[in-house]
Amino acid sequence: MFLMFVFLSFCFTSLNGVFGDEVKSVSVTEGDSVTLHTHITELLSAHLILWKTQGSLIARINREANKSSIYDEDFDGRFRDRLQVNNQTGDLTITNITTQHTGLYEIIITSKLTLSHTFNVIVYACLPLSDISRDSSQCSSCVLLCSVLNVRDVSLSWYKENSLLSNISVSDLNIRLSLPLEVEYQDTNTYSCVVNNPLTNQTQHLNINDVCQPCSDFFCCCYGLEAVIQLVISTLVGVATVTVLVYDIYSNSGGDAQKKRSKTP
Ligand SMILES: *[C@@H]1O[C@H](CO)[C@@H](O)[C@H](O)[C@H]1NC(C)=O
Ligand SMILES: *[C@@H]1O[C@H](CO)[C@@H](O)[C@H](O)[C@H]1NC(C)=O
Ligand SMILES: *[C@@H]1O[C@H](CO)[C@@H](O)[C@H](O)[C@H]1NC(C)=O
Ligand SMILES: *[C@@H]1O[C@H](CO)[C@@H](O)[C@H](O)[C@H]1NC(C)=O
Ligand SMILES: *[C@@H]1O[C@H](CO)[C@@H](O)[C@H](O)[C@H]1NC(C)=O
């Protein structure tokens, strides 16, 4: 018996990131848009603003001429129709972002001086479907297994009411995380399996009575049947062995008798 619950995969929007002197991290969920803000005073007098990623130019703003150019055909077209710049503020917007857009983005501002600042954009994949199944080989208690694929920084936790019971995470991508939970039958606490990444989470609450039926109702009859089949098979094997043995003894003694008979004349 296998109980399976599919969690809905929701993509919650969450965004953070402020401009400063160091590399600023900006986290975003795939499918969302991210705008890299450049709130610095030098922009007001800047005449040229360049945006680069991986050493290649993706946008160029000529502020004096109030003109901008987007170079989105490189990178296998992954930026095609996804880039927008604001001619005045210099902000770069990446729309409908994907995990392929994870990386460093550099803005180079030319006024009297040339300044540059770097953003580290981290794109989190939507939390994937996760499921809970019951370990049907366990009968004395109910053992549930919650599992999910690690897309990026995914962790899996079991909660009893609001307290954390156990959690797990791995660094390797596309590895399936599995976390068991053992409960007694008739346990009335609320348990939940929580899947999260640094931006979002999804929670599945469990009703133990619904998912943990005592084995006698479902499993023991199966094991009973198996035992009966095993008994019948071993009995048959036993009978067959005895039969072969008896036949063997009988035919051997017959052969001896024939040998003796052929010697005597
Ligand atoms: C820049 O050009 C756009 C149209 O191309 C115009 O609407 C806008 O007012 C201009 N801004 C400045 C500051 O010249
Ligand atoms: C920015 O420049 C582009 C092309 O140079 C122009 O088409 C666009 O209208 C400008 N946008 C604004 C908000 O000034
Ligand atoms: C967002 O990008 C995906 C592919 O990465 C595409 O399938 C989808 O249609 C795009 N959505 C919008 C609203 O542009
Ligand atoms: C488990 O949860 C604790 C407390 O929230 C956290 O400090 C720890 O990093 C987590 N471990 C894993 C493997 O997710
Ligand atoms: C899940 O996310 C919600 C809202 O973002 C937050 O209030 C809640 O504490 C999170 N739960 C866990 C277990 O991380």
Side-chain angles (χ1 to χ4, degrees), residues 155 164 167-169:
S155 72
L164 179 66
N167 60 353
I168 187 176
S169 61

Side-chain angles (χ1 to χ4, degrees), residues 63 65-67 87-88:
R63 283 188 81 248
N66 188 15
K67 278 179 70 176
N87 300 354
Q88 295 310 307

